[in-house]
Amino acid sequence: KKVYKARSLTTFLIAMSQKIKNFNSQAKMLAIFIVGLLVGGLATYGLLGYSSKQQTQSYEQQTQSHEQQLQSYVDKIKARGKLIVGTSADWPPFEYVDANHNYAGIDIEIAKRIAQELGVSLEIKDMKFAGLIEALKNGDVDIVIADMTPTAEREKVVDFSIPYYTSKGYAVVTLQSANIKSEQDLYGKKIGVQLGTIQEEWANNNLKGKAEVKSYDRVYPEMVWALQRGDIDAMILGDKIADALITKEPSLKIATYVSIPTIGGAVAVPQGAEDLKYVVNSVIEKLIDSGEMQQIFNNEIAKWLGSS
Ligand code: ARG
């Protein structure tokens, strides 16, 4: 019996210790499981929360930086308190230097209206026409107003506003005494154009090998002097400057037109400057719809013709 008892005790103890072991490992398992759940849950929650927060944040950041970018052009100008306009002031009646050494002309008036709309002052930067696009790309100027015609090539690097007039085409201006009546009459002659303009492009495409094309940085007065001196036989210009020139200088005439009617001028803005383009377009639209644009043209042409 003793032996049995002892045996049964041993068995009991063994069984108990086994149980405790089992309990221990079960408890351990349970504990690990619970801790695991907690950690996992926290981690999952944390990760989910974090990542969703990240998502919201980056989405907000995206929208914000997008809006900031959209607003940055107008905001920058307003913060500076000044609109910087690039032009080539050699092209009356759009832009020229008047007798008082002030910049004047149709484009300058449009620039004033845009500055007014933005509530800032106006600074005109006069440069070579051929350097205007680069200056705009570099941010040296906020916009370009220089009777610039939108072209596919220019649109690759800058954006354009709606146009503010249409053109009859390119005018060939000669001395009264010249015997040029057609495009063919230009063959064998010296033809002046402004560097970087669509008139220069036209001349290079249509007169290459047939006439001598000479490019000038400035039209008024330099290229006009060249014509009067006899350095060139004709100049190819926009229709408006041609009209103004022949009225002011009786020794000149429009010999003929080349090319078909085109869009006239538009304001060039940096690519993606949507907010600025919107302001510019609304100013131009208002001026056209109210008839003020026509008035600006009439006044500025008269002013230039009256100036010495
Ligand atoms: N409309 C022409 C062009 O876009 C000539 C403009 C010349 N403008 C000037 N300010 N010189 O090429």
Side-chain angles (χ1 to χ4, degrees):
K1 247 192 173 176
K2 252 185 191 170
V3 174
Y4 175 73
K5 257 188 189 169
R7 216 187 247 170
S8 69
L9 185 68
T10 319
T11 320
F12 176 76
L13 282 175
I14 288 168
M16 277 313 281
S17 71
Q18 203 74 41
K19 257 197 179 146
I20 286 166
K21 248 192 208 162
N22 280 347
F23 174 76
N24 267 348
S25 65
Q26 267 174 15
K28 258 189 227 156
M29 293 270 281
L30 191 69
I32 287 168
F33 180 67
I34 288 168
V35 169
L37 265 184
L38 280 173
V39 170
L42 276 174
T44 312
Y45 173 80
L47 275 177
L48 280 180
Y50 179 71
S51 75
S52 76
K53 214 175 167 186
Q54 276 286 95
Q55 245 170 31
T56 337
Q57 246 179 19
S58 68
Y59 176 71
E60 273 165 7
Q61 273 166 4
Q62 262 172 28
T63 348
Q64 233 178 37
S65 68
H66 191 54
E67 274 165 9
Q68 268 167 8
Q69 229 173 45
L70 285 181
Q71 267 157 22
S72 65
Y73 289 91
V74 166
D75 285 350
K76 206 179 90 187
I77 294 162
K78 284 186 174 171
R80 195 202 291 131
K82 185 169 69 178
L83 175 71
I84 304 174
V85 173
T87 198
S88 175
D90 63 298
W91 192 259
F94 290 97
E95 45 265 340
Y96 62 98
V97 183
D98 72 10
N100 303 320
H101 306 285
N102 291 320
Y103 296 112
I106 295 158
D107 287 341
I108 308 302
E109 285 307 307
I110 296 172
K112 282 180 191 165
R113 309 303 168 103
I114 296 168
Q116 210 169 43
E117 180 75 23
L118 291 165
V120 297
S121 66
L122 175 65
E123 181 186 328
I124 300 290
K125 273 196 186 171
D126 187 14
M127 56 188 87
K128 292 177 187 174
F129 185 81
L132 285 168
I133 297 259
E134 198 59 24
L136 184 61
K137 256 173 53 188
N138 293 343
D140 298 339
V141 297
D142 297 315
I143 55 177
V144 165
I145 317 186
D147 184 22
M148 190 178 273
T149 308
T151 65
E153 204 184 323
R154 289 171 182 163
E155 303 233 36
K156 282 185 204 152
V157 278
V158 300
D159 281 351
F160 283 98
S161 72
I162 54 171
Y164 49 86
Y165 80 98
T166 50
S167 153
K168 283 179 282 192
Y170 312 154
V172 177
V173 173
T174 64
L175 294 179
Q176 287 285 358
S177 53
N179 197 23
I180 292 173
K181 292 185 182 63
S182 68
E183 191 180 316
Q184 282 69 34
D185 290 342
L186 296 174
Y187 298 171
K189 301 274 176 13
K190 289 181 186 142
I191 314 300
V193 288
Q194 184 173 32
L195 191 73
T197 60
I198 52 178
Q199 286 80 27
E200 181 191 49
E201 199 189 352
W202 182 90
N204 285 336
N205 289 337
N206 294 278
L207 300 175
K208 259 275 153 69
K210 297 170 183 157
E212 187 185 334
V213 178
K214 286 186 153 191
S215 296
Y216 291 81
D217 271 330
R218 297 179 64 84
V219 173
Y220 190 85
E222 286 84 348
M223 193 159 80
V224 175
W225 286 341
L227 181 74
Q228 285 167 337
R229 272 199 308 264
D231 293 353
I232 48 174
D233 302 297
M235 15 183 225
I236 306 177
L237 303 174
D239 63 331
K240 299 279 183 213
I241 180 174
D243 285 341
L245 268 182
I246 62 155
T247 314
K248 186 153 176 144
E249 314 264 342
S251 61
L252 306 179
K253 68 174 178 192
I254 293 177
T256 183
Y257 287 90
V258 290
S259 99
I260 48 160
T262 57
I263 288 173
V267 178
V269 301
Q271 224 163 34
E274 293 301 323
D275 64 335
L276 187 53
K277 190 162 84 177
Y278 180 83
V279 173
V280 171
N281 279 342
S282 67
V283 169
I284 293 174
E285 209 169 57
K286 250 188 282 173
L287 289 175
I288 291 173
D289 291 350
S290 65
E292 252 186 290
M293 188 65 91
Q294 193 53 57
Q295 251 179 333
I296 291 176
F297 270 75
N298 296 343
N299 289 347
E300 292 308 313
I301 291 168
K303 234 203 261 174
W304 186 71
L305 292 176
S307 72
S308 48

